[in-house]
Structures are given as C-alpha cells and as structure tokens.
Amino acid sequence: MAKLTISDAARVAGVARSTLHRAIHAGRLSVDADGRLDTAELLRAGYTLQRSVQQEKSGALQDATPRVTDAHQPSAPAEIQSLLAVQQERDLLRMERDLLRMERGLLHRELEAAQPREQAALAREQEARDERQAARDREARLLHMVEQMQHRYDRLLDMPRSAPPPRLSPEREPTVSRTAAPREVPRGDMRRRIVALLREYPQGLTPAEIRTLLRVDKRLSNTCLGMLRDGLVQRVGRGKYVAVEPARHDGP
C-alpha cells in the first residue's frame, strides 16, 4: 500500500492533521520510522480515502510499471479499488479473528473458574444425600428396637397367671397362718414402696413409670407380675397397675 505523510494522509482522508495526531497518540494509527502513514492503516481505522489518493496511486502504479496499451490503462483504477477493498476486508477479518480468540479465551477461563464451584456443589449435594440416608437408617433401627420391646412386653403381659393356692377352712388352717400378717400387706421393702406409690396414683402406673418415680435401677416388670399373682396389685388398661385396697373386716 502507499505511504503518505501526515499532511497528505489528512488531505486524502478528509480530516484535519490534529485528528490524525490524536489517533496516532491513542494507538489507533501507527507510523513508520519516517513518520509516514500507510493507506491500509487509514482504512483499518475506518477512514475513507478520497478520489485524489486513488488517482495518485494509479499514477504511481503507472510510473512504476511498464507502459501498456491504451486498451488496458482504464482498468488500473478499478484494480486498485478492488485491492483496497480486499485489504480492508482482510483487516476486518483479522479483527474479527482476534475478537473471537479473546472471547474464546474468556469463555475458557470462565469454565475453568466454574468447574471447582460445580464440583464443590456436587460434593455438598452428595453429603446431604448421605446424611439423609443415615438419618433414615437410624430411624428404621430405632423403630425396629421399639417394636421388639413392645412385642416382649406384650408377651410378658399375656403370660398365664398361676392360680392362687386353695384357701383352707378355718378349722384346718394352721395356727401360724392366723397370727401371720394379712395377705394384702406387701412383702418386702420394694413391694411396700410400690404399693404406697400406686395408692398415690389411682389412675395406674406402668413398671417404667414406677421405676422412674422410685428412682431405682432395677427393672420392675417381673416384680409387678409377681405382685399381680399375689393379689397385691391389679392391671388396668394396657400395662398399668393399681394397688389393691386391703379388705375391710367387719365385726369386733
């Protein structure tokens, strides 16, 4: 392409010299070592060349090339114009290529930055799924344990009770039995405490509730069953016991 001075470039571009100087300082135009501007630079920066520069280029080309016949001379300006159009299109394509490369680089960096965040989100989601599954497993185990305990408790409640011993007639009853304590009096300290507690709760208590209120470590299910067989307590509802009130004797 042709090299022009700042003044010639301003004239053919139809702008002031100060405009070109500002474009050079801004980096939109570049000059060679001699301070000249290439017409390709003007086209790349978006300036439109006037007809005079095309004629000068045509004359320069005619001086630099051998003389041809008159039939071929009129086609020289058209060839220059087509060369300029090709040069401008090539520069635009290069700019588009550079822009695409920049966009591709930005997208690549964004993808690289998003990958750790996506992996962290997937890890957190997997952690939450594992915690939910562990909670469901614990709940299932607890429910199974409760069901097993309930079955054992039901079996204990449904165990057949032994029949009370036959009462002896007054004349055959041994003397020691007449002087012994009545049957409704509980035997043993624990039984006395249980009977005393049940009298405070007429609605009835379960063995677990009795154990909690008396603050003892021993399981009281078997003790309550033994007291039930001995007639010291009665079972009401499901698994609750109440104290049997002592029989009242009339007479002197």
Side-chain angles (χ1 to χ4, degrees):
M1 305 303 289
K3 299 284 188 177
L4 303 176
T5 62
I6 301 294
S7 300
D8 292 339
R11 186 178 66 256
V12 299
V15 296
R17 292 180 56 188
S18 59
T19 303
L20 294 183
H21 281 297
R22 285 195 297 271
I24 292 171
H25 290 160
R28 291 187 291 108
L29 290 175
S30 59
V31 296
D32 59 6
D34 298 331
R36 293 176 177 272
L37 281 170
D38 196 333
T39 53
E41 287 288 324
L42 294 173
L43 292 174
R44 182 180 62 81
Y47 295 102
T48 303
L49 303 182
Q50 304 296 325
R51 184 67 179 172
S52 58
V53 69
Q54 297 177 3
Q55 292 176 354
E56 290 177 1
K57 290 178 183 178
S58 175
L61 288 174
Q62 290 177 1
D63 293 339
T65 56
R67 296 290 181 178
V68 294
T69 59
D70 295 338
H72 295 285
Q73 287 180 0
S75 63
E79 292 177 356
I80 294 174
Q81 187 66 26
S82 64
L83 288 175
L84 291 175
V86 170
Q87 180 73 21
Q88 187 175 6
E89 184 177 0
R90 185 186 65 182
D91 293 338
L92 291 175
L93 290 175
R94 286 178 178 175
M95 292 176 63
E96 290 179 359
R97 181 196 62 188
D98 295 339
L99 288 174
L100 289 175
R101 286 179 178 176
M102 291 175 60
E103 291 179 358
R104 185 175 62 183
L106 289 174
L107 288 175
H108 183 66
R109 286 194 293 272
E110 289 179 359
L111 289 175
E112 288 182 347
Q115 188 174 4
R117 293 195 297 270
E118 184 179 359
Q119 291 178 352
L122 290 175
R124 288 194 297 269
E125 184 178 355
Q126 183 63 37
E127 237 178 76
R129 284 199 298 267
D130 294 342
E131 290 179 357
R132 289 195 295 269
Q133 184 62 39
R136 286 193 292 266
D137 294 341
R138 288 195 298 270
E139 184 179 358
R141 287 195 298 269
L142 289 174
L143 288 175
H144 184 64
M145 291 171 61
V146 169
E147 290 177 358
Q148 287 183 338
M149 292 176 63
Q150 187 65 40
H151 291 330
R152 287 198 296 269
Y153 189 66
D154 292 340
R155 286 197 298 270
L156 288 175
L157 292 177
D158 295 336
M159 286 177 61
R161 291 177 293 177
S162 59
R167 295 182 62 86
L168 298 175
S169 60
E171 61 274 6
R172 296 180 59 186
E173 192 173 15
T175 307
V176 66
S177 63
R178 294 177 182 175
T179 59
R183 187 184 177 193
E184 61 269 10
V185 177
R187 292 171 299 176
D189 182 64
M190 181 58 67
R191 293 191 173 192
R192 284 195 296 272
R193 293 176 62 188
I194 292 173
V195 170
L197 180 65
L198 290 177
R199 286 174 179 169
E200 296 178 5
Y201 293 88
Q203 73 275 14
L205 295 172
T206 63
E209 293 171 342
I210 297 172
R211 176 185 177 186
T212 303
L213 293 172
L214 292 180
R215 297 181 181 178
V216 296
D217 297 332
K218 179 183 175 182
R219 296 173 63 89
L220 301 177
S221 300
N222 294 333
T223 304
C224 290
L225 289 174
M227 296 173 67
L228 179 65
R229 289 193 298 268
D230 294 340
L232 300 175
V233 295
Q234 289 181 352
R235 189 163 57 192
V236 293
R238 186 175 183 85
K240 288 187 176 183
Y241 295 92
V242 296
V244 174
E245 294 297 331
R248 298 179 61 181
H249 299 281
D250 297 332

